Amino acid sequence: MSYNYATDRGLIVPFTGNLTITRNDEGKIFRCDDTSNVTVTIANDLHTGFNCGFVMYNTGTVTLAASPHVVNQSGKTALSTRYSTGSIMVLNRTGGQGIYGDIEILVGGDFA
């Protein structure tokens, strides 16, 4: 399997600028190519078990921001070193769908 195969299939997603993670991003790896700082917002409609990864591929900083009803249980929010990696996973969903429920996320890897 080649690198191009992975990007063509949507598994590795290069991005610059701010980004919002949604249900459609399950299993993707987001490669930040930005030299500036960016914010990645975590939407509150993700399901239990949702996961995705991040790679800081350039010199900026990736900062996670939680939408209302998203609780970051680890408290880690920033990738700031070139080639650092990390991921998020939804551990629990309480209440109903969308804004009627809260989701708990865990952030791991090189996030600080």
Side-chain angles (χ1 to χ4, degrees), residues 46-88:
L46 307 178
H47 58 83
T48 300
F50 174 95
N51 63 83
C52 67
F54 301 91
V55 177
M56 185 63 241
Y57 205 66
N58 216 317
T59 57
T61 296
V62 172
T63 301
L64 299 179
S67 294
H69 300 281
V70 174
V71 179
N72 182 347
Q73 296 292 30
S74 65
K76 298 176 180 182
T77 59
L79 279 180
S80 58
T81 305
R82 192 170 193 187
Y83 306 122
S84 58
T85 62
S87 62
I88 66 165

Side-chain angles (χ1 to χ4, degrees), residues 21-23 42-50 67-71 73 89-106:
I21 300 299
T22 68
R23 291 180 277 191
I42 310 302
N44 65 354
D45 63 347
L46 307 178
H47 58 83
T48 300
F50 174 95
S67 294
H69 300 281
V70 174
V71 179
Q73 296 292 30
M89 180 171 44
V90 176
L91 295 178
N92 192 25
R93 180 176 209 34
T94 59
Q97 297 296 313
I99 63 170
Y100 300 110
D102 291 339
I103 63 171
E104 298 174 358
I105 64 170
L106 191 62

